[in-house]
Structure formats: structure tokens, C-alpha cells
């Protein structure tokens, strides 16, 4: 019988995906990996500054990462130490489903988990409505102000829910745009997630007077994992 692989995750959403599917596989995760609650594994630093020595000492069979979340020099250092690294790329929902299955089945040797099928079903039940709803600006940071641009996973989710990202056609994925330009963009909605910047009712909406603000859970907007099961309903409720 082949021993179960030892896995280190450098991405919070991938950590949740592995932990929910097969809790015993994870031996390490970043300081930012807060789901599922009570996860008891060795912490290996941040997504952008993982401790290579700590990871190597864990002797993982596999490190799972993401091309946007993690830095190539860190991944190269892990490969140089003889560790297999599986790097995901997730910029669309269908890509998220394919990459999650690749990671769990091919990388970890698991069966397709029930939650992944449930997530596919939940999103398949959302009628296609791109461009038929509201036009939104989606800030992700302030000081300086940054917004969702083109080719982003979060933008694809919003499009599937009928919310057109005003800056979704830009080549730059996370452009810096000043608030006065955002207010003059023609948007009729501002979507404010609570990560990576923690926008709240008291921090963000005041910069867009007269524009409805939708405060959304960033985990449902930007994470690709078990949260995708509840994401359609949770986002639709927040965007009303």
C-alpha cells in the first residue's frame, strides 16, 4: 500500500481544498491559511515569503502553489531541494475546477471530492447573464487605490452573476486608479471585498457618495476551493 503523500500548501484556498478533502495529508501551510478553522499544521511563513528551510525540514512529497500568489524564486528553491511543486493557474471559474481536480487527483492521489461536484452544480445553476446587469468598479486596495482589471478569477465570477466590471477590458490585472476616476467611470455599483484590503461599512463606501456599495466576503469572491459551493448564493445576496 502506497503511503499517503505529505503536502505543504502555500495558498489559503488550496489549503482549505486539501484539508477538507483529506485532512491527514497536510503537514504545513502559510500563516494566512485560516480555513478550515482549527487547522493544526506547521506554519511556514507567508505566501510571498515562505521559509524554505522549514518547508524542506518537513520533507513534503508535494508543495502546492499558485502562479499569482507565490514567487517563482521561492518555488525554484524548493525544486532545487528536490521537492515536487505543483503550480496552479486560476483566472476563470472553469480553470479553477480543472486545477483543483488536477491538484487533488493527480497531485495528491485522491478521488474527486463531493464538494467539487457540488460546486460545479451550484455554478451551473446560475444563468449566463454577462453584461446584462450592473456596471461595477471593484476596489481591492486603497492607499494607493487599486481595482480589478482584466483576466481575473474574481472578475469572471462577477460576470457570471451579471455584474460587469468596468475595468475588465484592461490588459493590466490590478491597475492603480484614483478615486475621482473611479467615480467618473460610469459605474452604478461599487463592490468592496474584505480582502486583500479589509473594506467595511465605515471604510470604503464613503469614497463613493451616491453610489450603492456591496460589501462582499472576499473568500467567496477570490477563493477557489470548498467555498465555491456557497459562493453563488452568498455573492448574489450581497450584490442585491
Amino acid at each position: 500500500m502506497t503511503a499517503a503523500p505529505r503536502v505543504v500548501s502555500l495558498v489559503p484556498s488550496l489549503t482549505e481544498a486539501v484539508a477538507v478533502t483529506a485532512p491527514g495529508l497536510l503537514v504545513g501551510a502559510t500563516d494566512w491559511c485560516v480555513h478550515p478553522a482549527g487547522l493544526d499544521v506547521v506554519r511556514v511563513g507567508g505566501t510571498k515569503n515562505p521559509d524554505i528551510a522549514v518547508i524542506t525540514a518537513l520533507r513534503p512529497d508535494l508543495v502546492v502553489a499558485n502562479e499569482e500568489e507565490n514567487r517563482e524564486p521561492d518555488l525554484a528553491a524548493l525544486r532545487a531541494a528536490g521537492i515536487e511543486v505543483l503550480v496552479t493557474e486560476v483566472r476563470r471559474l472553469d480553470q479553477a475546477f480543472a486545477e483543483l481536480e488536477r491538484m487533488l487527483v493527480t497531485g495528491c492521489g485522491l478521488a474527486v471530492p463531493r464538494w467539487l461536484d457540488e460546486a460545479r452544480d451550484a455554478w451551473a445553476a446560475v444563468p449566463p447573464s454577462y453584461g446584462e446587469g450592473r456596471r461595477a468598479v471593484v476596489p481591492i486596495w486603497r492607499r494607493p487605490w487599486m481595482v480589478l482589471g482584466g483576466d481575473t478569477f474574481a472578475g469572471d465570477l462577477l460576470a457570471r452573476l451579471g455584474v460587469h466590471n468596468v475595468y475588465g477590458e484592461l490588459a493590466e490585472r490590478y491597475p492603480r486608479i484614483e478615486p475621482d476616476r473611479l467615480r467618473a467611470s460610469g459605474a452604478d455599483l461599487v463592490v468592496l471585498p474584505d480582502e486583500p484590503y479589509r473594506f467595511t461599512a465605515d471604510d470604503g463606501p464613503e469614497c463613493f457618495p451616491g453610489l450603492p456599495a456591496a460589501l462582499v466576503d472576499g473568500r467567496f469572491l477570490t477563493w477557489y476551493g470548498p467555498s465555491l459551493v456557497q459562493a453563488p448564493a452568498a455573492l448574489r445576496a450581497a450584490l442585491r
Side-chain angles (χ1 to χ4, degrees):
M1 181 177 179
T2 303
R6 294 168 59 84
V7 179
V8 170
S9 173
L10 300 182
V11 184
S13 54
L14 298 183
T15 296
E16 184 178 23
V18 176
V20 168
T21 306
L25 298 191
L26 275 176
V27 295
T30 74
D31 300 337
W32 299 105
C33 295
V34 296
H35 291 279
L39 182 65
D40 184 17
V41 296
V42 174
R43 299 297 172 164
V44 300
T47 57
K48 306 296 185 187
N49 58 343
D51 190 321
I52 303 302
V54 170
I55 296 172
T56 302
L58 288 171
R59 295 182 298 168
D61 299 295
L62 180 69
V63 171
V64 295
N66 176 264
E67 52 90 25
E68 180 177 52
E69 293 286 336
N70 308 119
R71 302 185 316 127
E72 178 54 34
D74 296 322
L75 304 183
L78 292 169
R79 294 189 187 98
I83 299 171
E84 181 179 354
V85 180
L86 186 154
V87 183
T88 59
E89 179 182 307
V90 178
R91 302 190 183 188
R92 300 179 309 279
L93 179 61
D94 57 350
Q95 193 177 28
F97 291 145
E99 289 286 71
L100 286 165
E101 184 166 330
R102 180 171 73 94
M103 178 190 72
L104 295 170
V105 177
T106 304
C108 298
L110 303 170
V112 175
R114 183 174 183 178
W115 64 258
L116 186 53
D117 288 333
E118 290 174 349
R120 286 188 169 112
D121 291 344
W123 281 97
V126 176
S129 53
Y130 180 82
E132 297 175 3
R134 288 170 290 180
R135 294 170 51 82
V137 292
V138 190
I140 59 167
W141 202 260
R142 63 182 302 179
R143 307 182 192 96
W145 283 89
M146 300 173 67
V147 300
L148 283 186
D151 193 28
T152 66
F153 175 69
D156 186 44
L157 294 194
L158 289 173
R160 291 168 185 270
L161 296 169
V163 177
H164 176 73
N165 176 15
V166 170
Y167 295 101
E169 304 305 318
L170 295 183
E172 190 173 356
R173 301 181 69 214
Y174 305 107
R176 295 186 181 188
I177 300 180
E178 293 303 313
D180 56 345
R181 289 180 58 197
L182 296 179
R183 289 190 289 267
S185 65
D188 52 29
L189 175 71
V190 56
V191 176
L192 298 169
D194 63 5
E195 61 175 81
Y197 184 90
R198 187 173 181 79
F199 288 105
T200 68
D202 301 317
D203 185 357
E206 78 285 352
C207 296
F208 303 91
L211 196 63
L215 295 167
V216 303
D217 187 327
R219 180 164 163 262
F220 291 126
L221 184 62
T222 64
W223 286 40
Y224 31 90
S227 58
L228 286 171
V229 177
Q230 293 84 28
L235 290 173
R236 292 177 83 171
L239 293 168
R240 285 175 183 165

